């Protein structure tokens, strides 16, 4: 590739609050259109906004977790524009004093750590949602203001990403940070997390950026990666032909997998930003910042690192375990209870627990098997063998009973009493003279056959290890 790729991302995350940013309306997703509105979020004349403290706290927490410098003085600005989903004709946002500036996120691509700088983090309100009916002849649009005024955090990176892989890792890392600190549910399918990408190309070694294209309307991480691949080829063709890349906003058409021009890129002065006169500025005390810092849990990258180095979990497994904070908590709880076998526990969680969660479409907090129960299964496993342990696991999921209870109820414990097994071994030897003779002639599978016969008698509950020893002993005395 002749060109270097330069990418920056703007992320919008809806904050997880009960009520909207400036009024008491519910933020619940999926309700009857326009059932969660009031005079404030509909922008009727004479109303006054009141800041939602939780939303403000969430944005402070996010800015700290993203390593930003926190502006102690912060206020809100009006970003003026007209659009049918924006009842006030301006969006209350932050422009001159963002809550956080100059942060960073460390990402890992192919086991290499790279730092993506964050330009700023700011708090603003959502717009409503336009619905364009597709019915034939429908020549109208509908607007749902339930979303208008939902608190929204915008996180803007520097143009620091140099490949599609870095973008993918950044999106995933950012998502897991927001989930870890509990400020957003990050449900992309509900629009709680959305990305806009800016991309430009330049010749390798050049130190000036090329013209960028901004792409909106990306509703999945997959769409982001697809549009970037598309733009890389579209822009490099233009440059190869000596044509200019226009500074513009494009929309991604997921059905046809192309990006289309929407408009020329707006400039910040187009928005006529000015300080919001209806809200007082905010002063954030150092004490508040310090308190918030202590409420931030260990972030996924660090936890991943610790799982690998202290709990001997593989790099790959640690990645899966730390993706979801509650899953990582579950694993750590198991390790704490068992005091050892972290490797075995991580295997159970990654193979069996995750499979069940997927099948039942539930989260770990709703799972029938508690950490105590999983540890009890792992501890009892040596007495029942691995394959029966898998059956017991399924039984636990279905009945909610503990492993020891199931083992007892179904009589699954292995017979490891040597004298009890020895009787059976003698029996089997007497009934199978041919196999005994074959064994004497050095036929290895004769022993397996004999063990199989003994297993049949015990209905699979004998310890194969003890049986093997007993047969070897008996048969060697026989042949003497
Ligand atoms: P605006 O306010 O017009 O959206 P910003 O300065 O906020 O512009 O930048 C938007 C995004 O574009 C940021 O994520 C930034 O990293 C990215 N960006 C800026 N310049 C370039 C460029 N030349 N190539 C790629 N991305 C860029
Ligand atoms: Mg922007
Ligand atoms: Zn309202």
């Amino acid at each position: 590739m002749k060109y270097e790729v330069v990418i920056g991302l703007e992320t919008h995350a809806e904050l997880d609050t009960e009520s909207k940013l400036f009024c008491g309306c519910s933020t619940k997703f999926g309700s009857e259109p326009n059932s969660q509105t009031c005079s404030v979020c509909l922008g009727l004349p004479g109303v006054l906004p009141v800041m939602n403290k939780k939303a403000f706290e969430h944005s402070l927490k996010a800015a700290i977790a993203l390593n930003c410098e926190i502006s102690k003085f912060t206020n809100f600005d009006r970003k003026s524009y007209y659009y049918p989903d924006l009842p006030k004709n301006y969006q209350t946002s932050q422009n001159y004093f963002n809550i956080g500036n100059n942060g960073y996120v460390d990402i890992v691509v192919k086991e290499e750590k790279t730092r993506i700088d964050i330009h700023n983090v700011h708090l603003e309100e959502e717009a409503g949602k336009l619905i364009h009916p597709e019915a034939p002849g429908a020549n109208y649009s509908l607007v749902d203001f339930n979303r208008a005024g939902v608190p929204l955090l915008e996180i803007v990176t520097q143009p620091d990403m140099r490949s599609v892989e870095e973008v993918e890792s950044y999106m995933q890392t950012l998502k897991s940070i927001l989930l870890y600190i509990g400020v957003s549910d990050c449900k992309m399918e509900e629009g709680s997390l959305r990305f806009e990408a800016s991309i430009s190309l330049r010749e390798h070694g050049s130190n000036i950026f090329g013209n960028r294209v901004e792409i909106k309307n990306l509703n999945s991480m997959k769409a982001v990666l697809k549009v970037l691949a598309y733009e890389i080829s579209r822009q490099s063709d233009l440059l190869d032909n000596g044509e200019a890349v226009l500074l513009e906003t494009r929309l991604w058409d997921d059905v046809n997998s192309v990006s289309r021009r929407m408009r020329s890129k707006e400039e910040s002065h187009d928005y006529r930003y000015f300080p919001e006169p209806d809200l007082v500025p905010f002063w954030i005390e150092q004490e508040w910042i310090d308190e918030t810092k202590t409420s931030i849990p260990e972030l996924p990258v660090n936890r991943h690192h610790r799982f690998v180095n202290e709990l001997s979990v593989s790099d790959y497994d640690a990645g899966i375990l730390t993706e979801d904070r509650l899953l990582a908590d579950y694993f750590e709880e198991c390790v704490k209870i068992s005091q050892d076998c972290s490797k075995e526990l991580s295997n159970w969680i990654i193979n069996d627990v995750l499979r069940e969660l997927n099948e039942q479409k539930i989260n770990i907090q709703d799972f029938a098997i508690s950490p105590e129960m999983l540890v009890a299964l792992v501890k009892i496993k040596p007495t029942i063998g691995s394959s029966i342990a898998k059956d017991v696991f399924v039984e636990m999921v279905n009945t909610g009973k503990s492993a020891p209870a199931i083992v007892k109820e179904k009589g699954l414990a292995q017979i490891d009493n040597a004298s009890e097994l020895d009787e059976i071994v003698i029996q089997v030897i007497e009934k199978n003279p041919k196999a005994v003779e074959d064994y004497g002639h050095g036929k290895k599978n004769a022993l397996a056959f004999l063990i199989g016969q003994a297993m049949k008698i015990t209905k699979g509950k004998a310890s194969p290890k003890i049986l093997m020893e007993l047969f070897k002993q008996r048969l060697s005395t026989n042949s003497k």
Side-chain angles (χ1 to χ4, degrees), residues 10 79 154 156 196 214 265-266:
E10 287 168 273
K79 180 180 183 178
E154 180 168 338
V156 184
E196 287 171 19
E214 186 183 62
K265 177 84 185 98
E266 78 287 349

Side-chain angles (χ1 to χ4, degrees), residues 237 251 414 435:
D237 285 353
L251 287 182
Q414 277 180 349

Side-chain angles (χ1 to χ4, degrees), residues 6 8-10 156-159 198-200 209-210 212 214 265:
V6 174
L9 241 57
E10 287 168 273
V156 184
T157 73
Q158 295 285 6
S198 290
I199 173 167
S200 64
F209 287 138
R212 73 178 153 124
E214 186 183 62
K265 177 84 185 98

Side-chain angles (χ1 to χ4, degrees), residues 377-431:
L377 173 64
V378 169
K379 297 269 183 199
I380 209 171
K381 197 185 96 175
T383 72
I384 55 177
S386 329
S387 90
I388 292 185
K390 297 275 175 187
D391 298 339
V392 171
F393 177 83
V394 173
E395 187 75 14
M396 289 166 74
V397 170
N398 293 335
T399 63
K401 289 183 184 162
S402 75
I406 294 168
V407 168
K408 195 167 161 217
E409 205 177 281
K410 303 209 156 184
L412 296 173
Q414 277 180 349
I415 306 169
D416 52 5
N417 179 325
S419 59
E420 198 177 320
L421 289 179
D422 200 29
E423 309 247 317
I424 294 167
V425 166
I426 293 170
Q427 235 183 77
V428 170
I429 289 175
E430 271 172 10
K431 282 194 188 148

Side-chain angles (χ1 to χ4, degrees), residues 5-9 116 157-163 166-167 170:
V5 180
V6 174
I7 302 167
L9 241 57
I116 306 301
T157 73
Q158 295 285 6
D160 271 3
M161 284 163 268
R162 293 290 175 272
S163 68
E166 286 189 358
V167 173
Y170 170 79

